[in-house]
Amino acid sequence: QLQLVESGGGLVQPGGSLRLSCAASGFTYDYYSIAWFRQAPGKEREGVSCFSTRTGNTYYADSVKGRFTVSRDNAKNTVWLQMNSLKPEDTAVYYCAAEPERTLLSFRRCVTLGPAEFGSWGQGTQVTVSS
């Protein structure tokens, strides 16, 4: 069973930057979709980004394109989310999520970024953007 742990959240002023990390362990499949979601109080969970290890493609929500960047360190089994030019509307609990890519079509969940398609979740880390 895959285990995910997020860290790196905090308080930052508008226009500032933060980098979140997602450490993973317990791999049992060769390929995974690894995604970032966020959820603000009273709002539904929103997909932020997704990386498909099978295809090598990274997908971003329109709201974060050009500001957020995903990177990974295979040796450390860690994925980072670099967040730049942060806005107050970025305030949310950020979650790392993953699901095995069992078939050649599994990458589609990265395009859709539907929370129900991901079975493994971290505990979340709070990001607050405020002056």
Side-chain angles (χ1 to χ4, degrees):
Q1 186 174 355
L2 193 66
Q3 304 292 325
L4 304 173
V5 179
E6 306 100 329
S7 63
L11 174 65
V12 65
Q13 295 184 350
S17 299
L18 283 174
R19 183 163 63 179
L20 308 182
S21 66
C22 174
S25 61
F27 298 102
T28 57
Y29 293 86
D30 292 334
Y31 303 105
Y32 287 84
S33 301
I34 305 174
W36 287 95
F37 291 83
R38 64 187 183 185
Q39 188 165 23
K43 297 184 178 180
E44 65 181 7
R45 197 170 300 175
E46 174 190 19
V48 174
S49 68
C50 188
F51 176 72
S52 167
T53 66
R54 182 184 289 271
T55 67
N57 292 330
T58 304
Y59 304 84
Y60 297 94
D62 289 340
S63 59
V64 306
K65 285 181 179 178
R67 299 188 299 120
F68 292 9
T69 303
V70 171
S71 61
R72 67 170 180 168
D73 186 333
N74 290 335
K76 297 181 179 180
N77 295 321
T78 301
V79 173
W80 287 274
L81 180 67
Q82 178 67 47
M83 305 185 295
N84 298 325
S85 302
L86 283 163
K87 306 174 181 179
E89 51 263 44
D90 295 319
T91 296
V93 176
Y94 282 70
Y95 298 91
C96 182
E99 180 68 16
E101 295 187 349
R102 299 180 178 89
T103 76
L104 293 174
L105 299 179
S106 295
F107 76 95
R108 291 177 174 176
R109 74 170 62 85
C110 268
V111 179
T112 304
L113 272 178
E117 296 298 317
F118 292 82
S120 298
W121 293 82
Q123 82 288 350
T125 184
Q126 176 71 49
V127 172
T128 302
V129 185
S130 176
S131 59

